[in-house]
Every structure is written in structure tokens, then in C-alpha cells.
Amino acid sequence: MRRFIAFVVVLCAVVILGALLPHWRQDRRVHAGTQSRGNWTTGNCPDSDRNSWGHWGAVHECQLRRATLTLNGNPLSVSSTNGSIHVIGQDRSDVELEASVNVWASSNREADRLLRSIQVHTANGDIYDRGPHFFFFSGYSVNYRLLVPRGITGHFSNTNGGIALDHLNGKVRFGNTNGGVTLRSMNGDVQGHSINGGIQITLAGDTWQGAGLRADTTNGGIDLRVPDQYSAHVDAGTVNGGISASFPVNVQGNVRNHLDANLGNGGPTIHLQTVNGGISIAHPGPGSGKAD
């Protein structure tokens, strides 16, 4: 019996030591500067990506890949399985793409192999990543950051990670499974949903310019921030949760679970819907609505 207990203790020590050793090694990064990789340049990831790493005990590597794309009239589509998507509208005609490719594995050799195997496709404005299936001690994520024309037609979808859209005024569609959605200074024809995650909306100007906004979530609250003199029509509903407004609104109908109201002089409709969560409408605080 004592020999068996001693064997178990030694075995546990070996397992724990094997998990700790990769963590004690210094995380490896690609060398400073940039280098050619087809139509890409590659370099070091920002510290913000490194600081967000989890997977305790694993070896990590991160590579920042950059490319400039011309859409040639094609819509933009960005799809991510594991990672975030951040899209910022600017006065420009091309698309500047940054993809932070993060990998974790049980050894340096495996991390190098995994990093080299991950591809980010960009043909015809269709951006997505492909890599090997996840295992117990290894995996990867890709965080996308894009600078795009403001009036772009775009579709953005994500499975695990957040979506942030700033300063766009074209036809935009978004969909998210596990993660929050942030919309800032948006206009145009915008529609989308999240299944597990809240939605934060901060608008700018004096009214919505375009067809309107429809934002839905199943599990999560919705927070709408509008300037003091903003004009729009708000149609908001929740099944399990309340609706609150921090300033007087011109209400039409029931306010308990459904709000049909004009802000200011009214205007294009902002549709907000959640099943499990509350909806709040308020004026923004200092610095809200600014792009990163």
C-alpha cells in the first residue's frame, strides 16, 4: 500500500512539473521588424494581445500579420471562430487589415508548427482563418482589426469573441454567438444579433442617417447611449427584463416590456430586442463613441 501511495505521489509530481516547465520558459516572439510573407508583412503582436493570453502552463507565440486590400466593388466579409473583430470606418478607399495570430501549445516546437500552419485568407474581400483542430493543450485565436471605407457593405460574424464596429454608414450585418457587440457612431442600414452577449450602442450626431438600426440578443442586456438632442424612433422590447430611460421620452404605448417612443423629433427606427436582459437608454458619458 505504501509503495502504491509513493507511486501516486511521484506520478502527480511529474505531471505537475510537466505542466509548470512550459510556463516557466520565456514566451517566444517572432523577431522585431517586419518581413515579407506573400502579400503580407509580419511582425510583433501588441502588448495588449500578449497580456490577454490565458491557458496557464502553455507555450505561447503571437504573430502580427498586416495586409492592404482592394475590394474592387466586392462587399467585405470577415468571419472568425476564435478571436475578436474590430472594424473602424475612415475616409479611405482600401482596407488595411491587421491579424494577430495567437497560438498556445505544450512545447516550443509544437507552437512553431501550429503558428506556421494557420492561414488567413483574403480573396475577393472574404476574410477568414483556417488552422488545425484544437487539442487539449493546443489551440489558436485570431484577432482582426480593420480600417475600412465608411460606406462599406460588410458582413461580420464571430463564434467566440467580441465584435466592435465604429463609424460605418453603409449596409452592415453582424452576428455573434459567444461575446459582446459594441456599436459606436454608426449610421446607414445596420442589422445584427448576438446569442450570448450584451450589446452596447453609442451614437453621435443629431439623428440616424440611413435606413435604421436593428440589434437583437438572446442572453444579454442592451445599452443605448444617445446625445442630448438626438432624434430617432425607438422600438425596444424584452421578455425577461425591464426597460429604463434616464431622460424623458415621448412614449407611445406600454413601457413595462415594450417601449415605442420618439426621441426628439423622431426619425428612422432603432429596433432593440432581448429575451433575457434589460434595456437602458441614456446620454453618453465623456469620451463615449470615440474609436480606438
Side-chain angles (χ1 to χ4, degrees):
M1 183 66 180
R2 291 181 180 178
R3 290 182 178 179
F4 177 75
I5 295 174
F7 172 77
V8 172
V9 170
V10 172
L11 179 62
C12 291
V14 170
V15 171
I16 294 172
L17 183 60
L20 288 176
L21 281 177
H23 183 65
W24 289 336
R25 296 172 183 170
Q26 183 177 3
D27 287 340
R28 301 176 63 202
R29 299 176 68 180
V30 296
H31 62 272
T34 60
Q35 59 185 0
S36 297
R37 180 188 170 95
N39 63 332
W40 294 87
T41 60
T42 62
N44 291 336
C45 289
D47 290 338
S48 58
D49 281 343
R50 288 175 56 81
N51 293 338
S52 64
W53 285 345
H55 310 283
W56 181 84
V59 174
H60 294 92
E61 287 198 17
C62 183
Q63 183 182 66
L64 181 64
R65 304 177 186 177
R66 296 187 179 94
T68 300
L69 313 175
T70 302
L71 296 176
N72 296 321
N74 293 311
L76 177 65
S77 174
V78 183
S79 177
S80 174
T81 301
N82 199 38
S84 62
I85 299 174
H86 188 185
V87 184
I88 303 172
Q90 294 184 336
D91 295 327
R92 58 188 303 137
S93 59
D94 58 6
V95 173
E96 182 177 319
L97 168 64
E98 291 184 351
S100 295
V101 182
N102 305 273
V103 302
W104 57 92
S106 58
S107 68
N108 292 326
R109 181 178 179 180
E110 178 63 18
D112 286 337
R113 185 200 65 79
L114 182 58
L115 185 61
R116 289 194 301 268
S117 70
I118 297 168
Q119 297 182 350
V120 179
H121 300 270
T122 61
N124 300 318
D126 190 9
I127 300 172
Y128 61 95
D129 53 84
R130 287 293 182 268
H133 294 295
F134 285 27
F135 295 98
F136 186 72
F137 287 113
S138 65
Y140 75 93
S141 66
V142 182
N143 296 326
Y144 293 100
R145 185 177 186 271
L146 302 97
L147 305 180
V148 306
R150 295 183 191 275
I152 200 169
T153 297
H155 184 273
F156 310 103
S157 60
N158 205 349
T159 302
N160 297 303
I163 295 177
L165 308 177
D166 300 337
H167 299 280
L168 302 176
N169 57 24
K171 184 177 181 180
V172 175
R173 300 292 182 265
F174 64 87
N176 203 5
T177 301
N178 297 307
V181 175
T182 301
L183 308 176
R184 289 176 286 200
S185 300
M186 299 287 287
N187 284 290
D189 179 5
V190 181
Q191 297 182 26
H193 67 275
S194 176
I195 296 178
N196 295 308
I199 300 177
Q200 296 183 340
I201 306 167
T202 303
L203 303 180
D206 55 11
T207 189
W208 184 275
Q209 303 288 338
L213 166 66
R214 179 181 293 273
D216 305 329
T217 181
T218 302
N219 297 305
I222 301 177
D223 182 50
L224 172 64
R225 302 298 177 98
V226 297
D228 292 355
Q229 305 302 320
Y230 200 83
S231 293
H233 177 234
V234 175
D235 183 7
T238 176
V239 177
N240 299 307
I243 300 175
S244 64
S246 65
F247 55 88
V249 295
N250 184 12
V251 178
Q252 303 169 12
N254 184 12
V255 185
R256 183 175 181 181
N257 296 106
H258 179 240
L259 174 66
D260 189 354
N262 283 328
L263 305 181
N265 298 321
T269 299
I270 297 174
H271 294 274
L272 308 174
Q273 183 71 40
T274 179
V275 177
N276 298 307
I279 298 176
S280 64
I281 304 172
H283 295 315
S288 297
K290 295 182 179 179
D292 292 340

